[in-house]
Amino acid sequence: MKHILRYLLCGMAMGAADVVPGVSGGTIAFITGIYQPLLDAIQSVDRNFFRLLFQGHVLPALRRIPWAFLLPLATGIGCSIFSLARLVLYLLHSYPVVIWAFFFGLIAASIVLLFRNLGRRGGKEGASLAAGVLFAWCLSGAEAVSMSQTPLMLFAAGFIAICAMILPGISGAFILVLLGQYQYVLSAVASLNLPILAIFALGCLCGLLIFARVLNTCLRRWHDATLALLIGIMAGSLRTVWPWKDGSMPALPPSDMPEILVALLCCAAGLCLPLLVSALPRPPRPEAR
Protein backbone atom coordinates (compact mmCIF):
# COMPACT_ATOMS: atom_id res chain seq x y z
CA MET A 1 0.00 0.00 0.00
CA LYS A 2 2.80 2.42 0.83
CA HIS A 3 4.39 1.79 -2.56
CA ILE A 4 1.09 2.56 -4.30
CA LEU A 5 0.88 5.85 -2.40
CA ARG A 6 4.48 6.63 -3.38
CA TYR A 7 3.77 6.01 -7.06
CA LEU A 8 0.62 8.14 -6.82
CA LEU A 9 2.57 11.05 -5.32
CA CYS A 10 5.33 10.64 -7.92
CA GLY A 11 2.70 10.79 -10.65
CA MET A 12 1.18 13.95 -9.17
CA ALA A 13 4.63 15.58 -9.07
CA MET A 14 5.29 14.54 -12.68
CA GLY A 15 1.92 15.88 -13.82
CA ALA A 16 2.44 19.21 -12.07
CA ALA A 17 5.89 19.54 -13.66
CA ASP A 18 4.63 18.63 -17.13
CA VAL A 19 2.19 21.55 -17.28
CA VAL A 20 5.01 24.06 -16.69
CA PRO A 21 6.80 25.13 -19.92
CA GLY A 22 10.42 24.54 -18.92
CA VAL A 23 10.20 21.65 -16.45
CA SER A 24 10.17 17.97 -17.41
CA GLY A 25 8.21 15.20 -15.78
CA GLY A 26 11.15 12.97 -16.69
CA THR A 27 13.29 15.01 -14.30
CA ILE A 28 10.85 14.23 -11.47
CA ALA A 29 10.94 10.54 -12.42
CA PHE A 30 14.74 10.60 -12.18
CA ILE A 31 14.67 12.34 -8.81
CA THR A 32 12.19 9.88 -7.33
CA GLY A 33 14.02 6.82 -8.64
CA ILE A 34 11.26 5.52 -10.91
CA TYR A 35 12.76 6.44 -14.29
CA GLN A 36 14.15 3.05 -15.28
CA PRO A 37 11.10 1.17 -13.91
CA LEU A 38 8.92 3.55 -15.91
CA LEU A 39 10.77 2.78 -19.15
CA ASP A 40 10.60 -0.94 -18.40
CA ALA A 41 6.87 -0.74 -17.67
CA ILE A 42 6.19 1.09 -20.94
CA GLN A 43 8.30 -1.46 -22.82
CA SER A 44 6.14 -4.29 -21.45
CA VAL A 45 3.57 -3.24 -24.08
CA ASP A 46 5.46 -5.12 -26.79
CA ARG A 47 4.71 -7.38 -29.76
CA ASN A 48 3.90 -10.30 -27.45
CA PHE A 49 1.33 -8.13 -25.69
CA PHE A 50 -0.39 -7.25 -28.96
CA ARG A 51 -0.08 -10.83 -30.26
CA LEU A 52 -1.89 -12.19 -27.21
CA LEU A 53 -4.45 -9.39 -27.39
CA PHE A 54 -5.28 -9.94 -31.05
CA GLN A 55 -5.51 -13.71 -30.50
CA GLY A 56 -8.20 -13.11 -27.91
CA HIS A 57 -6.02 -13.89 -24.86
CA VAL A 58 -6.90 -10.64 -23.12
CA LEU A 59 -6.10 -11.63 -19.52
CA PRO A 60 -2.65 -13.13 -20.31
CA ALA A 61 -1.85 -9.97 -22.28
CA LEU A 62 -2.89 -7.70 -19.44
CA ARG A 63 -0.87 -9.72 -16.91
CA ARG A 64 2.31 -8.74 -18.76
CA ILE A 65 1.89 -5.12 -17.62
CA PRO A 66 2.88 -3.99 -14.08
CA TRP A 67 -0.45 -2.41 -13.24
CA ALA A 68 0.44 -1.97 -9.55
CA PHE A 69 3.05 0.53 -10.74
CA LEU A 70 1.47 2.11 -13.81
CA LEU A 71 -2.09 2.61 -12.54
CA PRO A 72 -1.26 4.77 -9.49
CA LEU A 73 1.41 6.62 -11.47
CA ALA A 74 -0.95 7.38 -14.36
CA THR A 75 -3.72 8.29 -11.90
CA GLY A 76 -1.42 10.75 -10.15
CA ILE A 77 -0.33 12.32 -13.45
CA GLY A 78 -3.93 12.64 -14.66
CA CYS A 79 -5.24 14.06 -11.38
CA SER A 80 -2.40 16.55 -11.23
CA ILE A 81 -2.83 17.75 -14.81
CA PHE A 82 -6.58 18.21 -14.48
CA SER A 83 -6.64 19.60 -10.92
CA LEU A 84 -3.31 21.34 -10.35
CA ALA A 85 -2.73 22.79 -13.82
CA ARG A 86 -4.55 26.03 -13.06
CA LEU A 87 -2.83 26.41 -9.67
CA VAL A 88 0.65 25.83 -11.10
CA LEU A 89 0.03 28.25 -13.96
CA TYR A 90 -1.40 30.84 -11.53
CA LEU A 91 1.70 30.62 -9.33
CA LEU A 92 3.91 30.80 -12.41
CA HIS A 93 2.10 33.95 -13.55
CA SER A 94 1.87 35.62 -10.12
CA TYR A 95 5.21 34.59 -8.58
CA PRO A 96 7.47 33.71 -11.52
CA VAL A 97 10.81 34.37 -9.80
CA VAL A 98 9.90 32.20 -6.82
CA ILE A 99 8.71 29.26 -8.95
CA TRP A 100 11.60 29.43 -11.43
CA ALA A 101 14.15 29.68 -8.60
CA PHE A 102 12.70 26.55 -7.00
CA PHE A 103 12.84 24.62 -10.27
CA PHE A 104 16.37 25.88 -10.94
CA GLY A 105 17.53 24.40 -7.63
CA LEU A 106 15.56 21.22 -8.30
CA ILE A 107 17.21 20.59 -11.66
CA ALA A 108 20.69 21.62 -10.44
CA ALA A 109 20.53 19.09 -7.58
CA SER A 110 19.23 16.44 -9.98
CA ILE A 111 22.27 17.00 -12.21
CA VAL A 112 24.58 16.38 -9.24
CA LEU A 113 22.73 13.19 -8.32
CA LEU A 114 22.84 11.87 -11.88
CA PHE A 115 26.51 12.72 -12.23
CA ARG A 116 27.23 10.51 -9.23
CA ASN A 117 25.71 7.58 -11.13
CA LEU A 118 27.98 8.12 -14.13
CA GLY A 119 30.43 5.21 -14.26
CA ARG A 120 32.94 6.06 -17.00
CA ARG A 121 33.89 9.70 -17.53
CA GLY A 122 35.96 9.51 -20.68
CA GLY A 123 35.98 11.29 -24.01
CA LYS A 124 32.78 9.65 -25.29
CA GLU A 125 30.88 10.68 -22.18
CA GLY A 126 32.33 14.20 -22.36
CA ALA A 127 31.23 14.54 -25.98
CA SER A 128 27.74 13.27 -25.12
CA LEU A 129 27.54 15.73 -22.22
CA ALA A 130 28.56 18.66 -24.44
CA ALA A 131 26.10 17.60 -27.16
CA GLY A 132 23.28 17.47 -24.60
CA VAL A 133 24.10 20.94 -23.24
CA LEU A 134 24.28 22.43 -26.75
CA PHE A 135 21.05 20.77 -27.86
CA ALA A 136 19.02 21.89 -24.81
CA TRP A 137 20.54 25.40 -24.81
CA CYS A 138 19.68 25.97 -28.47
CA LEU A 139 16.24 24.39 -28.11
CA SER A 140 15.35 26.55 -25.11
CA GLY A 141 16.18 29.67 -27.13
CA ALA A 142 14.17 28.66 -30.17
CA GLU A 143 11.19 30.73 -31.26
CA ALA A 144 7.68 29.35 -31.51
CA VAL A 145 6.38 28.35 -34.91
CA SER A 146 2.82 28.70 -36.15
CA MET A 147 1.09 25.36 -36.69
CA SER A 148 -2.55 24.81 -37.61
CA GLN A 149 -4.75 22.96 -35.13
CA THR A 150 -5.69 20.15 -37.51
CA PRO A 151 -6.08 16.56 -36.24
CA LEU A 152 -2.82 15.55 -37.95
CA MET A 153 -0.87 18.43 -36.42
CA LEU A 154 -2.41 17.74 -33.02
CA PHE A 155 -1.42 14.08 -33.27
CA ALA A 156 2.13 15.07 -34.29
CA ALA A 157 2.33 17.55 -31.40
CA GLY A 158 1.35 14.83 -28.93
CA PHE A 159 3.87 12.42 -30.46
CA ILE A 160 6.74 14.91 -30.17
CA ALA A 161 5.74 16.36 -26.80
CA ILE A 162 5.53 13.00 -25.02
CA CYS A 163 9.05 12.15 -26.23
CA ALA A 164 10.23 15.36 -24.56
CA MET A 165 8.21 14.69 -21.41
CA ILE A 166 10.05 11.44 -20.64
CA LEU A 167 13.43 13.01 -21.35
CA PRO A 168 14.87 14.65 -18.21
CA GLY A 169 15.53 18.31 -18.88
CA ILE A 170 13.28 18.78 -21.91
CA SER A 171 9.82 20.07 -21.14
CA GLY A 172 6.96 18.62 -23.13
CA ALA A 173 4.94 21.75 -22.34
CA PHE A 174 7.76 23.89 -23.75
CA ILE A 175 7.76 21.79 -26.92
CA LEU A 176 4.03 22.46 -27.24
CA VAL A 177 4.79 26.18 -26.90
CA LEU A 178 7.35 25.93 -29.70
CA LEU A 179 4.83 24.06 -31.87
CA GLY A 180 2.15 26.66 -31.18
CA GLN A 181 -0.16 24.10 -29.56
CA TYR A 182 0.24 24.85 -25.83
CA GLN A 183 -2.73 27.18 -25.31
CA TYR A 184 -4.90 25.05 -27.57
CA VAL A 185 -4.20 21.82 -25.67
CA LEU A 186 -4.39 23.51 -22.26
CA SER A 187 -7.77 25.00 -23.16
CA ALA A 188 -8.95 21.55 -24.22
CA VAL A 189 -7.83 20.17 -20.84
CA ALA A 190 -9.60 22.95 -18.94
CA SER A 191 -12.83 22.55 -20.93
CA LEU A 192 -12.62 18.73 -21.20
CA ASN A 193 -12.84 18.85 -25.00
CA LEU A 194 -12.76 15.07 -25.46
CA PRO A 195 -12.29 14.87 -29.27
CA ILE A 196 -9.21 17.11 -29.13
CA LEU A 197 -7.86 15.33 -26.06
CA ALA A 198 -8.41 11.92 -27.70
CA ILE A 199 -6.36 12.83 -30.79
CA PHE A 200 -3.63 14.37 -28.66
CA ALA A 201 -3.60 11.35 -26.32
CA LEU A 202 -3.32 8.97 -29.28
CA GLY A 203 -0.23 10.84 -30.49
CA CYS A 204 1.20 10.70 -26.97
CA LEU A 205 0.57 6.96 -26.72
CA CYS A 206 2.27 6.20 -30.04
CA GLY A 207 5.25 8.42 -29.20
CA LEU A 208 5.54 6.92 -25.73
CA LEU A 209 5.59 3.30 -26.93
CA ILE A 210 8.18 4.00 -29.62
CA PHE A 211 10.51 6.47 -27.93
CA ALA A 212 10.61 4.74 -24.54
CA ARG A 213 11.83 1.59 -26.26
CA VAL A 214 14.58 3.52 -28.10
CA LEU A 215 15.68 5.30 -24.93
CA ASN A 216 15.65 2.11 -22.85
CA THR A 217 17.78 0.35 -25.46
CA CYS A 218 20.30 3.21 -25.41
CA LEU A 219 20.49 3.12 -21.61
CA ARG A 220 21.11 -0.62 -21.61
CA ARG A 221 23.70 -0.70 -24.41
CA TRP A 222 25.44 2.64 -23.91
CA HIS A 223 24.49 3.49 -20.33
CA ASP A 224 27.20 6.01 -19.45
CA ALA A 225 27.16 7.85 -22.78
CA THR A 226 23.34 8.06 -22.74
CA LEU A 227 23.31 9.16 -19.10
CA ALA A 228 25.92 11.83 -19.90
CA LEU A 229 23.71 13.05 -22.76
CA LEU A 230 20.71 13.28 -20.40
CA ILE A 231 22.81 15.16 -17.83
CA GLY A 232 23.88 17.58 -20.54
CA ILE A 233 20.28 18.12 -21.61
CA MET A 234 19.32 18.90 -18.01
CA ALA A 235 22.27 21.30 -17.67
CA GLY A 236 21.35 23.09 -20.90
CA SER A 237 17.73 23.36 -19.79
CA LEU A 238 18.80 25.53 -16.84
CA ARG A 239 18.60 28.42 -19.32
CA THR A 240 14.82 27.96 -19.44
CA VAL A 241 14.28 27.98 -15.67
CA TRP A 242 16.68 30.82 -14.78
CA PRO A 243 14.49 33.22 -12.74
CA TRP A 244 15.56 36.43 -14.50
CA LYS A 245 15.57 36.78 -18.28
CA ASP A 246 16.15 39.41 -20.91
CA GLY A 247 13.98 38.04 -23.68
CA SER A 248 15.04 34.43 -24.03
CA MET A 249 18.51 35.00 -22.56
CA PRO A 250 19.48 34.75 -18.86
CA ALA A 251 20.03 38.12 -17.22
CA LEU A 252 21.59 39.34 -13.99
CA PRO A 253 19.30 39.59 -10.94
CA PRO A 254 17.85 43.05 -10.21
CA SER A 255 19.09 45.13 -7.31
CA ASP A 256 15.99 44.26 -5.28
CA MET A 257 17.58 42.48 -2.30
CA PRO A 258 14.33 41.02 -0.81
CA GLU A 259 13.52 39.43 -4.17
CA ILE A 260 17.01 37.94 -4.40
CA LEU A 261 16.81 36.54 -0.86
CA VAL A 262 13.43 34.93 -1.51
CA ALA A 263 14.74 33.46 -4.76
CA LEU A 264 17.80 32.06 -2.96
CA LEU A 265 15.62 30.47 -0.28
CA CYS A 266 13.40 28.86 -2.92
CA CYS A 267 16.44 27.71 -4.87
CA ALA A 268 17.84 26.17 -1.67
CA ALA A 269 14.52 24.37 -1.12
CA GLY A 270 14.73 23.03 -4.67
CA LEU A 271 18.30 21.89 -4.06
CA CYS A 272 17.40 20.08 -0.85
CA LEU A 273 14.31 18.27 -2.13
CA PRO A 274 16.07 15.81 -4.52
CA LEU A 275 18.76 15.12 -1.92
CA LEU A 276 16.11 14.27 0.68
CA VAL A 277 14.15 12.12 -1.77
CA SER A 278 17.29 10.25 -2.82
CA ALA A 279 17.96 9.40 0.84
CA LEU A 280 14.57 7.67 1.20
CA PRO A 281 14.44 3.89 0.77
CA ARG A 282 13.52 2.91 -2.76
CA PRO A 283 10.60 0.54 -3.40
CA PRO A 284 11.30 -2.76 -5.18
CA ARG A 285 11.24 -2.62 -8.97
CA PRO A 286 7.68 -3.26 -10.15
CA GLU A 287 7.12 -6.43 -12.14
CA ALA A 288 4.30 -7.67 -14.24
CA ARG A 289 2.33 -10.61 -12.93
Side-chain angles (χ1 to χ4, degrees):
M1 183 64 186
K2 64 179 181 180
H3 296 328
I4 293 178
L5 180 59
R6 178 190 177 97
Y7 299 143
L8 181 67
L9 293 175
C10 289
M12 292 184 69
M14 290 176 65
D18 277 329
V19 299
V20 178
V23 185
S24 169
T27 302
I28 305 299
F30 249 119
I31 293 171
T32 53
I34 64 167
Y35 192 73
Q36 189 60 54
L38 176 60
L39 294 181
D40 292 338
I42 295 170
Q43 195 165 334
S44 66
V45 184
D46 54 11
R47 68 178 67 179
N48 290 326
F49 169 83
F50 287 108
R51 178 178 56 81
L52 290 170
L53 196 64
F54 292 144
Q55 290 176 352
H57 305 301
V58 178
L59 289 180
L62 294 179
R63 290 192 189 102
R64 296 179 57 84
I65 300 175
W67 295 109
F69 170 70
L70 280 181
L71 273 182
L73 189 71
T75 301
I77 293 174
C79 290
S80 187
I81 289 176
F82 285 99
S83 64
L84 297 181
R86 292 182 180 178
L87 175 61
V88 172
L89 293 177
Y90 166 76
L91 293 175
L92 192 62
H93 181 266
S94 302
Y95 309 99
V97 172
V98 169
I99 299 301
W100 288 128
F102 174 79
F103 282 125
F104 188 91
L106 191 75
I107 295 175
S110 304
I111 293 172
V112 174
L113 291 175
L114 285 181
F115 196 77
R116 291 178 182 175
N117 295 326
L118 197 60
R120 294 182 68 255
R121 299 176 184 179
K124 185 188 298 184
E125 289 71 31
S128 297
L129 181 69
V133 171
L134 183 62
F135 171 73
W137 183 272
C138 293
L139 182 66
S140 61
E143 295 184 359
V145 298
S146 178
M147 287 178 60
S148 58
Q149 275 87 32
T150 63
L152 181 60
M153 292 297 101
L154 194 60
F155 176 89
F159 189 99
I160 297 171
I162 197 65
C163 295
M165 285 178 182
I166 61 174
L167 270 178
I170 300 183
S171 166
F174 182 69
I175 296 298
L176 289 178
V177 171
L178 292 182
L179 296 177
Q181 303 288 332
Y182 181 72
Q183 293 291 342
Y184 186 64
V185 173
L186 199 64
S187 298
V189 171
S191 61
L192 288 179
N193 191 322
L194 296 183
I196 293 176
L197 293 178
I199 297 172
F200 182 76
L202 183 61
C204 290
L205 179 63
C206 293
L208 190 65
L209 293 178
I210 294 173
F211 188 70
R213 188 175 303 276
V214 172
L215 186 57
N216 208 6
T217 300
C218 292
L219 282 170
R220 293 186 183 281
R221 293 187 179 182
W222 309 285
H223 179 270
D224 291 329
T226 304
L227 188 59
L229 178 67
L230 297 179
I231 294 172
I233 290 174
M234 292 178 69
S237 72
L238 289 174
R239 169 182 179 173
T240 308
V241 295
W242 178 250
W244 300 279
K245 299 181 181 69
D246 182 9
S248 63
M249 293 298 294
L252 292 175
S255 56
D256 187 358
M257 188 55 65
E259 179 180 305
I260 295 175
L261 290 176
V262 172
L264 287 175
L265 287 174
C266 292
C267 184
L271 284 167
C272 292
L273 183 59
L275 301 177
L276 292 174
V277 172
S278 65
L280 296 175
R282 299 295 173 91
R285 176 164 294 189
E287 295 181 356
R289 295 181 180 179

